[in-house]
Every structure is written in C-alpha cells, then in structure tokens.
Amino acid sequence: IDSEDGLRKKCHCFHQQELDILYEQSHIRDMIASENFSNLSYEYYQGDDLTHFRKCVDVCRNFVQNFKQDYHNLFFYGTVGTGKSFLSGCIASELLQTGHSVIYFSASGLFDTLARYAFDSRAKEALSGFYEDLYNCDLLIIDDLGTEVPNTFVNSQLFEIINMRNNRSLATLISTNLSMRELSDRYTERIMSRIIGDFKVF
C-alpha cells in the first residue's frame, strides 16, 4: 500500500500473515475464533470473583478502545480458570481486526524459541529477525508466565523484552497462574520492579 511519505509498504494483514508463518502462530486464529468479546459470559463467576472479572473486562475494553493514544501494559495473575487467557484472546481479536500486529506466545514457547535460536550459531539472522518483531509488534502477549524452565537465560531475556518494549512505548500483556509472592521468588528484582512499575496489575 502507499504510505504517507509516498513509498510503498506492506499492509498490516500481509505483515500479520508473515508473523503467523514465522512463529507458527496460526493457532492464534483458532484461539480468537472462540475467545472474543462476543462470546464472553459472566455465568461462571459469582461474588467477589464476578466483581473482579467485570472490572478486568472493563479494563480490557478500555485498553482496546484507547490503544492508539493511551500506552500501558497489562499483567493478569490468578489461579487456573479465572479467565486470563480468554481476556488476552479478546484483546488480540479486537486489535487484529483494527489493523494492529499481535504476537502471542506461551511463556514456554517463547523462551524455547529464543533458546533454540540463541544457542545455534547458524541461526543469527533468524534470532535477529525474531528480536526485531518481538520488540516492534504493536502488542506482545506472553501467556502462562511461570510455565517455562527457570534459569538465568529466561530472566535476562524477559527483562530485555519488557525493557525494550517499554522504551519504545509498545504494549505488552502478560498472564500467569503464579501469585505475586511466587513471582518474586522466581524472577529477579529488576523484573519485579518493571512489572510493578510499568504494568497495570490485576
């Protein structure tokens, strides 16, 4: 398509198809087919859980509605089955429909891919391209943080991703089944400082 500076560039949907192929993310299409706001239901919640979930839904809707002009990151934590991944899918679905690039990874898949490229001397170009897209996509979703094998490589990579995207004012959404205490036991103080300081935590 023609850009504002008179040059031609890839349209959003072409770029998103590249991302889907490069990272074998075709499953994101299947995910958002069922995980979207039109399929959202409150019937699984009651009491305080219902109150918390309603608040998170409102946050997600506002996040999407104000995505272009209001930069911030989201961090969802809670036990299994509370709707964290579902709401991530809702956000991904809405943003893809409005022309934004979204990369979705489980934490284990993300760090496994990074390790595979980083420790293969023949994959320098692939690693460079991978970082480029992780750092520059409109929204990066890291689902199920804490399911990856913990080590210094994971800690350094997670901090670098959060830091680089924050420096560029590009949104990141992270979800985890771990409690805040479990997170602080598992990840470095620098990472926890970023999460507490740079993310809206729910």
Side-chain angles (χ1 to χ4, degrees), residues 125-150:
E125 187 175 340
L127 178 62
S128 176
F130 190 46
Y131 280 132
E132 184 71 18
D133 287 329
L134 285 179
Y135 295 157
N136 292 302
C137 63
D138 295 327
L139 175 66
L140 174 63
I141 299 176
I142 304 175
D143 199 21
D144 282 334
L145 186 68
T147 56
E148 76 286 351
V149 177

Short mmCIF file of all heavy atoms in Angstrom, two decimals, residues 125-150:
data_model
loop_
_atom_site.label_atom_id
_atom_site.label_comp_id
_atom_site.label_asym_id
_atom_site.label_seq_id
_atom_site.Cartn_x
_atom_site.Cartn_y
_atom_site.Cartn_z
N GLU A 125 20.77 -14.82 11.98
CA GLU A 125 19.84 -13.98 11.23
C GLU A 125 18.41 -14.20 11.69
O GLU A 125 17.63 -13.25 11.85
CB GLU A 125 19.96 -14.28 9.73
CG GLU A 125 19.14 -13.34 8.86
CD GLU A 125 19.36 -13.58 7.38
OE1 GLU A 125 20.38 -14.18 7.01
OE2 GLU A 125 18.49 -13.17 6.59
N ALA A 126 18.06 -15.45 11.95
CA ALA A 126 16.72 -15.76 12.44
C ALA A 126 16.49 -15.14 13.81
O ALA A 126 15.41 -14.59 14.09
CB ALA A 126 16.52 -17.27 12.52
N LEU A 127 17.51 -15.19 14.68
CA LEU A 127 17.39 -14.60 16.01
C LEU A 127 17.22 -13.09 15.92
O LEU A 127 16.38 -12.51 16.61
CB LEU A 127 18.63 -14.93 16.85
CG LEU A 127 18.66 -14.35 18.27
CD1 LEU A 127 17.50 -14.88 19.10
CD2 LEU A 127 20.00 -14.66 18.95
N SER A 128 17.98 -12.46 15.05
CA SER A 128 17.89 -11.01 14.88
C SER A 128 16.49 -10.61 14.40
O SER A 128 15.90 -9.65 14.92
CB SER A 128 18.94 -10.54 13.88
OG SER A 128 18.81 -9.17 13.63
N GLY A 129 15.95 -11.35 13.45
CA GLY A 129 14.61 -11.06 12.96
C GLY A 129 13.54 -11.30 14.01
O GLY A 129 12.56 -10.55 14.11
N PHE A 130 13.77 -12.34 14.81
CA PHE A 130 12.82 -12.67 15.88
C PHE A 130 12.77 -11.54 16.92
O PHE A 130 11.71 -11.09 17.32
CB PHE A 130 13.25 -13.98 16.53
CG PHE A 130 12.24 -14.56 17.48
CD1 PHE A 130 10.91 -14.64 17.14
CD2 PHE A 130 12.64 -15.04 18.72
CE1 PHE A 130 9.98 -15.19 18.02
CE2 PHE A 130 11.72 -15.59 19.60
CZ PHE A 130 10.39 -15.66 19.25
N TYR A 131 13.96 -11.08 17.34
CA TYR A 131 14.01 -9.95 18.27
C TYR A 131 13.34 -8.71 17.67
O TYR A 131 12.61 -8.00 18.37
CB TYR A 131 15.46 -9.60 18.61
CG TYR A 131 16.09 -10.48 19.66
CD1 TYR A 131 17.36 -11.03 19.44
CD2 TYR A 131 15.46 -10.75 20.86
CE1 TYR A 131 17.96 -11.83 20.40
CE2 TYR A 131 16.04 -11.54 21.82
CZ TYR A 131 17.30 -12.09 21.59
OH TYR A 131 17.89 -12.88 22.54
N GLU A 132 13.59 -8.47 16.40
CA GLU A 132 13.04 -7.29 15.74
C GLU A 132 11.51 -7.27 15.86
O GLU A 132 10.91 -6.24 16.17
CB GLU A 132 13.46 -7.28 14.27
CG GLU A 132 13.04 -6.05 13.50
CD GLU A 132 13.80 -4.79 13.89
OE1 GLU A 132 14.86 -4.89 14.53
OE2 GLU A 132 13.30 -3.69 13.57
N ASP A 133 10.90 -8.42 15.61
CA ASP A 133 9.44 -8.47 15.68
C ASP A 133 8.93 -8.46 17.13
O ASP A 133 7.90 -7.84 17.42
CB ASP A 133 8.92 -9.71 14.94
CG ASP A 133 9.03 -9.54 13.43
OD1 ASP A 133 8.93 -8.40 12.95
OD2 ASP A 133 9.25 -10.54 12.74
N LEU A 134 9.64 -9.13 18.04
CA LEU A 134 9.24 -9.09 19.45
C LEU A 134 9.29 -7.68 19.99
O LEU A 134 8.43 -7.28 20.78
CB LEU A 134 10.18 -9.98 20.29
CG LEU A 134 10.01 -11.49 20.21
CD1 LEU A 134 11.05 -12.15 21.11
CD2 LEU A 134 8.61 -11.92 20.62
N TYR A 135 10.29 -6.93 19.59
CA TYR A 135 10.47 -5.57 20.11
C TYR A 135 9.58 -4.54 19.44
O TYR A 135 9.37 -3.46 19.99
CB TYR A 135 11.93 -5.13 19.94
CG TYR A 135 12.95 -5.90 20.73
CD1 TYR A 135 14.28 -5.93 20.33
CD2 TYR A 135 12.59 -6.62 21.88
CE1 TYR A 135 15.23 -6.64 21.06
CE2 TYR A 135 13.53 -7.33 22.60
CZ TYR A 135 14.85 -7.34 22.19
OH TYR A 135 15.80 -8.05 22.91
N ASN A 136 9.05 -4.87 18.24
CA ASN A 136 8.37 -3.83 17.45
C ASN A 136 6.91 -4.10 17.11
O ASN A 136 6.26 -3.23 16.54
CB ASN A 136 9.14 -3.58 16.16
CG ASN A 136 10.48 -2.93 16.43
OD1 ASN A 136 10.55 -1.85 17.01
ND2 ASN A 136 11.56 -3.58 16.03
N CYS A 137 6.38 -5.28 17.42
CA CYS A 137 4.95 -5.52 17.14
C CYS A 137 4.11 -4.60 18.03
O CYS A 137 4.55 -4.14 19.08
CB CYS A 137 4.59 -6.98 17.35
SG CYS A 137 4.78 -7.59 19.04
N ASP A 138 2.89 -4.33 17.59
CA ASP A 138 2.03 -3.41 18.35
C ASP A 138 1.70 -3.96 19.74
O ASP A 138 1.66 -3.21 20.72
CB ASP A 138 0.73 -3.15 17.58
CG ASP A 138 0.98 -2.42 16.27
OD1 ASP A 138 1.92 -1.60 16.23
OD2 ASP A 138 0.23 -2.66 15.31
N LEU A 139 1.44 -5.25 19.82
CA LEU A 139 1.14 -5.88 21.11
C LEU A 139 1.82 -7.23 21.19
O LEU A 139 1.69 -8.05 20.27
CB LEU A 139 -0.37 -6.08 21.30
CG LEU A 139 -0.79 -6.83 22.57
CD1 LEU A 139 -0.43 -6.02 23.83
CD2 LEU A 139 -2.27 -7.17 22.57
N LEU A 140 2.54 -7.46 22.27
CA LEU A 140 3.12 -8.77 22.56
C LEU A 140 2.37 -9.38 23.74
O LEU A 140 2.25 -8.74 24.80
CB LEU A 140 4.61 -8.64 22.92
CG LEU A 140 5.30 -9.93 23.39
CD1 LEU A 140 5.31 -10.98 22.29
CD2 LEU A 140 6.71 -9.64 23.88
N ILE A 141 1.85 -10.59 23.55
CA ILE A 141 1.16 -11.31 24.63
C ILE A 141 2.01 -12.50 25.05
O ILE A 141 2.36 -13.34 24.22
CB ILE A 141 -0.24 -11.81 24.17
CG1 ILE A 141 -1.12 -10.63 23.77
CG2 ILE A 141 -0.90 -12.62 25.29
CD1 ILE A 141 -2.47 -11.04 23.21
N ILE A 142 2.37 -12.53 26.34
CA ILE A 142 3.09 -13.68 26.91
C ILE A 142 2.13 -14.35 27.89
O ILE A 142 1.82 -13.79 28.95
CB ILE A 142 4.38 -13.24 27.62
CG1 ILE A 142 5.29 -12.46 26.67
CG2 ILE A 142 5.11 -14.47 28.18
CD1 ILE A 142 6.53 -11.89 27.33
N ASP A 143 1.67 -15.52 27.52
CA ASP A 143 0.66 -16.23 28.31
C ASP A 143 1.33 -17.27 29.21
O ASP A 143 2.35 -17.86 28.85
CB ASP A 143 -0.33 -16.91 27.37
CG ASP A 143 -1.63 -17.28 28.05
OD1 ASP A 143 -1.96 -16.69 29.10
OD2 ASP A 143 -2.34 -18.15 27.51
N ASP A 144 0.77 -17.48 30.38
CA ASP A 144 1.24 -18.53 31.31
C ASP A 144 2.69 -18.35 31.72
O ASP A 144 3.47 -19.32 31.73
CB ASP A 144 1.04 -19.93 30.70
CG ASP A 144 -0.40 -20.40 30.79
OD1 ASP A 144 -1.11 -19.94 31.70
OD2 ASP A 144 -0.80 -21.21 29.96
N LEU A 145 3.08 -17.12 32.08
CA LEU A 145 4.42 -16.90 32.60
C LEU A 145 4.61 -17.78 33.84
O LEU A 145 3.74 -17.84 34.70
CB LEU A 145 4.61 -15.43 32.98
CG LEU A 145 6.03 -15.04 33.41
CD1 LEU A 145 7.00 -15.12 32.24
CD2 LEU A 145 6.03 -13.63 34.02
N GLY A 146 5.74 -18.45 33.92
CA GLY A 146 6.00 -19.36 35.04
C GLY A 146 5.96 -20.82 34.63
O GLY A 146 6.39 -21.69 35.38
N THR A 147 5.47 -21.10 33.43
CA THR A 147 5.44 -22.50 32.95
C THR A 147 6.76 -22.87 32.27
O THR A 147 7.01 -24.04 32.01
CB THR A 147 4.29 -22.73 31.96
OG1 THR A 147 4.40 -21.78 30.88
CG2 THR A 147 2.94 -22.54 32.64
N GLU A 148 7.60 -21.86 31.98
CA GLU A 148 8.90 -22.12 31.37
C GLU A 148 9.89 -22.62 32.43
O GLU A 148 9.67 -22.44 33.63
CB GLU A 148 9.45 -20.85 30.70
CG GLU A 148 10.00 -19.81 31.65
CD GLU A 148 8.97 -19.02 32.44
OE1 GLU A 148 7.76 -19.15 32.13
OE2 GLU A 148 9.35 -18.28 33.37
N VAL A 149 10.97 -23.25 32.00
CA VAL A 149 12.02 -23.72 32.92
C VAL A 149 12.79 -22.50 33.42
O VAL A 149 13.33 -21.74 32.61
CB VAL A 149 12.98 -24.69 32.21
CG1 VAL A 149 14.10 -25.10 33.16
CG2 VAL A 149 12.22 -25.92 31.71
N PRO A 150 12.85 -22.28 34.73
CA PRO A 150 13.52 -21.07 35.24
C PRO A 150 15.04 -21.18 35.17
O PRO A 150 15.62 -22.19 35.56
CB PRO A 150 13.04 -21.01 36.70
CG PRO A 150 12.74 -22.43 37.06
CD PRO A 150 12.26 -23.10 35.80
#
